[in-house]
Amino acid sequence: MRDPAATIRIELLGKFRITCADGQELTLTGAKNQGIIAMLALAPDQRRSRRWLARHLWSTFRDEQASANLRQALRKLRKMLGPCTGILLCDGEELGLDSSRVTVDLFDAAQPNGSGMELLPGLEPRDPAFSAWLQQERATWRDRGLLAVRQSERGVAIRCVFDQSTAPSDRLLAEYTADGIAASIIEQVRAWRQADTGSVGKPLPDCDVLLSCNLSRADYTRAAFVRAIDLRTGEILLSETHPLSDDDQLRQATPELSRLIYQSAERVLSRLPQALGLNRPEARATALSRLALKRLFGFERDETRKACALFEKAYRLDHSGVYLAWHGMARLTQLIEKLEPDTKALQEQITELSLQALRSDASNPLVQALVSKTVSTIGGDVSGGMDLARCSVAGNPHSPYAWKALAEAHMACGDPVAALSASSNALEIVRYSPFRHWWDISHALINLSCERYDDAIAAAETTLRGSPKSRPALRSLIALYTRCERLDDAMHAAKRLGEIEPGFTLELLVNDPAYPVPVLREKDLLTPIRALL
């Protein structure tokens, strides 16, 4: 039997290993068990609270269940440590390692800079909180020069080029447009922009996508020719011409220019996973998130559950904060639409996902836009939601997500007129998007608040054309049609809603104060529906 006071060595670079002083290796099975030791080893004093560990390994569970899971894991862990179980210290609400008996390879003074070895590769307990913690630890040690950045971790390399022989104003606008498209892509996929050295014909050898924008003039009009090429295969991912007015300048984001940037980015993103190959984690994660968005925007229970699972899988493949933010938005949809019974657990998970998204990618305008909604809705932090929305618009004034976030932030602050202006900007950008209905339903509710009932009907009807099972649109139309004495249309909308929402009745809509129609209730649009009962 080994000396229980003997030291052990924990190896975190490369494959996770624990070896004793006599050279024998301790085998710890299970990612959660290895995760406990790893998180304790990397803690500043090699101690963590039980609550912290539970929340980072079982973040999708309620606190009581997470704590029970941790206790069960510790019982198994002690058995696996065997004679060395004494290295694990339990003191009230804290767990720790006996630092006098434990050495960690990452703390070795002789550890060479840029070793090229990864921190805990392959260790994936399938928990978003653990993944966020591990990503942050990798970034911290990489910044200290102890971990090299591998080529496969750099993401998609996008090089923006433009014709430098044109007039200075056109050249600047072309450069701005190309950079804007690349920035919008980078919000949604792990990627980075390469600087243009002025040689369009000689792209850098490690570039994945060459993105070009050139402006031309004819008579009194001008047009932007935008092209994206996969340099590995020569495949054209995007090749389009867009008319631009002379109002499109760097000092302002006109709807035409914003639409060009948003549409171009979306079309490149839709082709990117197949072009890069699904063996690359960022490509697979992008493909999963695009599929998740299609499911999320349908507002159906089963589809929303699938969207959550897809966002979670995307994050496990490629630890980008945007997948955490989208996962939080999907959970928020479940909460608002009452698609899941455990509302407290949903609220806790939404809060944690939002915090993790900001910790992971706080400067990403899309993350800011998505978290803005959850911050004001779940936390009641209206000012914080507004700050995030304004940061999002400032970071990417061409993003419809940013303008939608700003519109909803104005609504939360009680300013529907400002909300309507921001929402109109968003709709101009997404005019031709297949996901336009996500913005239309928000626009319908804002028009309701402004008592612009005809516009609200038009926006809700447009929502249904893009998403025939949109519950919020059907609820709004029942009230709006009734108000306009279009009773047959109101009854038809009620019938459609009853087919997709289990248990729906007009009595429920009118009499249940918890039913999710706050704007209709505020504007007293439920009272006329009583005539249909």
Side-chain angles (χ1 to χ4, degrees), residues 208-220:
D208 292 302
V209 176
L210 184 68
L211 180 62
S212 64
C213 179
N214 297 313
L215 266 61
S216 63
R217 288 183 178 270
D219 297 327
Y220 298 101

Side-chain angles (χ1 to χ4, degrees), residues 324-400:
L324 295 171
W326 271 122
H327 190 181
M329 181 59 68
R331 293 298 186 191
L332 182 63
T333 300
Q334 291 177 323
L335 180 69
I336 293 173
E337 289 299 311
K338 301 184 182 301
L339 300 178
E340 301 293 344
D342 194 342
T343 57
K344 183 179 179 181
L346 275 178
Q347 290 175 341
E348 292 174 351
Q349 187 173 20
I350 293 165
T351 299
E352 186 63 25
L353 286 167
S354 299
L355 290 174
Q356 290 172 15
L358 287 177
R359 285 197 295 263
S360 174
D361 209 354
S363 61
N364 185 329
L366 180 54
V367 170
Q368 294 167 343
L370 297 173
V371 174
S372 168
K373 176 74 171 177
T374 60
V375 163
S376 59
T377 303
I378 302 299
D381 187 359
V382 175
S383 297
M386 176 63 79
D387 288 344
L388 283 169
R390 285 174 170 160
C391 286
S392 180
V393 171
N396 186 357
H398 311 292
S399 168

Side-chain angles (χ1 to χ4, degrees), residues 266-284:
E266 285 294 298
R267 287 171 184 170
V268 172
L269 281 165
S270 68
R271 301 281 302 279
L272 203 57
Q274 288 72 30
L276 294 178
L278 295 180
N279 59 315
R280 291 180 61 166
E282 67 271 32
R284 289 181 63 196

Side-chain angles (χ1 to χ4, degrees), residues 244-272:
L244 292 176
S245 69
D246 280 333
D247 290 333
D248 289 303
Q249 301 291 340
L250 297 183
R251 64 177 179 272
Q252 60 183 2
T254 64
E256 293 79 13
L257 181 60
S258 294
R259 194 181 306 126
L260 158 61
I261 290 174
Y262 169 72
Q263 286 181 188
S264 299
E266 285 294 298
R267 287 171 184 170
V268 172
L269 281 165
S270 68
R271 301 281 302 279
L272 203 57

Side-chain angles (χ1 to χ4, degrees), residues 297-304 333-334 336-340 441 445 460 463-464 467-478 493 496-504 509 515-517 520:
F297 293 155
F299 301 104
E300 297 180 64
R301 172 174 293 162
D302 290 343
E303 293 296 285
T304 306
T333 300
Q334 291 177 323
I336 293 173
E337 289 299 311
K338 301 184 182 301
L339 300 178
E340 301 293 344
I441 186 55
L445 296 175
T463 300
L464 287 179
S467 178
K469 295 184 180 181
S470 172
R471 300 181 186 190
L474 287 168
R475 293 172 190 142
S476 299
L477 285 174
I478 293 171
R496 289 177 63 182
L497 186 56
E499 291 171 351
I500 63 175
E501 182 178 313
F504 170 79
L509 172 62
Y515 195 70
V517 284
L520 298 180

Side-chain angles (χ1 to χ4, degrees), residues 453-454 457 477-487 528:
Y453 297 125
D454 290 342
I457 289 175
L477 285 174
I478 293 171
L480 290 166
Y481 285 151
T482 304
R483 180 186 177 278
C484 298
E485 299 184 353
R486 295 169 57 179
L487 301 185

